[in-house]
């Protein structure tokens, strides 16, 4: 059976509700706001990058970009689409809890709640340690997660079902996505849910359906802060509820985005 990460083209289509260039613009603005000397980054590493849309956008803007993912199909797709667009992108197939690339980056990002694939506290803190180890002295790590309201509240901030359209006429592609069903409940002890994901993709009059069950580990806001302290390698610079000026506690917040830097008491970067 094909899973959602076995077909990166379909995954990228399903996630095309995002405005990736606009998100990259905000990431660069946060670098100006939070880095010493308002320095724009020259090197960027995207972790659990999947199709590496953000890394490719950074490369398009002239940054030296690296994309890391565990899944071979995602890595191959990121590599191929970057090459087809004439972009220079370094793609590495590694685990975000154990990678050691031997170089540091001005900006490290993990987008779209990819840390929900980290099922244990040990895995999460190992991930934070690895991210810190790959930051330059004044580098930033931006970690985008779902807003906790989506799993804890009665009023989720995002819909679990959406559609996307691309192209027109005979090139038109339509995707109907369901990411989670009402019966996909968090286990109250493990904080893990088995999310049932369905993507129905229609092109050229034919529809194919990709179904998958994706284990999702919910990380609460307080647990995130506790994990950061337990790691000790990073400290929080700011938190946002959107790729805008929305605070985490604002009713309009729909993401939990944390900007981190190397902890002042941590090991010095070369
Ligand atoms: C929800 S997708 C997000 C992809 C990308 N961040 C985006 O914004 O579209 C999660 C990605 O995490 C990757 N992944 C899961 N566990 C991983 C791990 N331990 N190390 C690296 N990548 C991992 C999957 O292969 C998948 O591409």
């Amino acid at each position: 059976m094909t899973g959602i990460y076995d077909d990166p083209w379909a995954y990228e289509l399903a996630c095309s509700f995002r405005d990736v260039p606009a998100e990259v613009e905000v990431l660069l603005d946060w670098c100006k706001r939070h880095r010493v000397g308002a320095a724009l980054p020259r090197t960027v590493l995207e972790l659990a990058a999947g199709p590496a849309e953000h890394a490719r956008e950074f490369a398009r803007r002239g940054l030296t970009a690296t994309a890391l993912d565990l899944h071979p199909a995602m890595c191959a797709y990121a590599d191929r689409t970057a090459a087809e667009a004439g972009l220079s992108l370094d793609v590495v197939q590694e685990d975000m809890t154990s990678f050691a690339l031997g170089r540091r980056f001005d900006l490290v990002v993990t987008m779209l709640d990819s840390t929900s694939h980290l099922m244990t506290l040990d895995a999460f803190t190992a991930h934070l340690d690895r991210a810190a180890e790959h930051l330059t002295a004044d580098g930033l790590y931006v970690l985008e997660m779902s807003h906790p309201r989506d799993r804890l509240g009665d009023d989720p901030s995002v819909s679990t079902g959406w559609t996307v359209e691309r192209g027109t006429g005979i090139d038109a592609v339509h995707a109907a996505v369901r990411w989670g069903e009402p019966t996909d409940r968090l286990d109250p002890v493990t904080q893990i849910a088995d999310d049932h994901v369905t993507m129905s993709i229609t092109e050229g009059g034919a529809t194919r359906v990709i179904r998958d069950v994706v284990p999702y580990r919910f990380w609460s806001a307080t647990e995130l802060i506790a994990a950061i302290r337990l790691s000790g390698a990073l400290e929080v610079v700011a938190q946002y509820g959107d790729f805008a000026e929305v605070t985490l506690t604002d009713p309009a917040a729909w993401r939990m985005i944390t900007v981190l830097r190397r902890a002042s008491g941590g090991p010095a970067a070369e």
Side-chain angles (χ1 to χ4, degrees), residues 19-103:
D19 185 342
V20 171
E23 291 184 0
V24 164
E25 195 65 39
V26 173
L27 290 166
L28 293 172
D29 281 347
W30 286 343
C31 285
K32 284 191 256 175
R33 178 179 299 177
H34 297 299
R35 288 189 76 207
V36 176
L40 280 170
R42 286 181 298 172
T43 53
V44 62
L45 168 64
E46 182 176 5
L47 298 173
E53 288 184 84
H54 293 76
R56 281 186 272 144
E57 180 61 26
F58 280 116
R60 197 168 289 122
R61 290 165 186 245
L63 279 81
T64 302
T66 302
L68 176 151
D69 200 276
L70 193 55
H71 201 300
M74 286 292 188
C75 292
Y77 180 85
D79 207 24
R80 193 179 69 247
T81 48
E84 284 169 0
L87 300 170
S88 170
L89 177 69
D90 187 21
V91 180
V92 284
Q93 189 189 336
E94 285 284 353
D95 190 314
M96 64 173 145
T97 65
S98 58
F99 64 101
L101 304 184
R103 57 192 193 277

Side-chain angles (χ1 to χ4, degrees), residues 4-5 11 15 18 46-54 68-71 74 94-97 110-114 116-118 144 179:
I4 53 165
Y5 298 150
Y11 170 86
C15 292
R18 296 179 291 180
E46 182 176 5
L47 298 173
E53 288 184 84
H54 293 76
L68 176 151
D69 200 276
L70 193 55
H71 201 300
M74 286 292 188
E94 285 284 353
D95 190 314
M96 64 173 145
T97 65
T110 302
M111 311 303 293
L112 206 59
D113 215 2
S114 300
S116 66
H117 289 300
L118 302 177
E144 183 202 5
W179 201 293

Side-chain angles (χ1 to χ4, degrees), residues 137-165:
D138 68 340
L140 294 182
Y141 176 35
V142 180
L143 172 56
E144 183 202 5
M145 302 164 85
S146 294
H147 197 281
R149 191 188 302 117
D150 292 348
R151 299 281 170 163
L152 288 185
D154 296 330
D155 184 20
S157 46
V158 290
S159 168
T160 54
W162 67 90
T163 58
V164 289
E165 313 278 346

Side-chain angles (χ1 to χ4, degrees), residues 145-196:
M145 302 164 85
S146 294
H147 197 281
R149 191 188 302 117
D150 292 348
R151 299 281 170 163
L152 288 185
D154 296 330
D155 184 20
S157 46
V158 290
S159 168
T160 54
W162 67 90
T163 58
V164 289
E165 313 278 346
R166 198 185 273 174
T168 52
I170 55 164
D171 295 328
V173 183
H174 171 91
V177 183
R178 289 202 59 79
W179 201 293
E181 296 294 339
T183 46
D184 296 341
R185 294 288 166 80
L186 271 188
D187 180 306
V189 175
T190 62
Q191 296 182 191
I192 295 171
D194 282 334
D195 281 351
H196 288 74

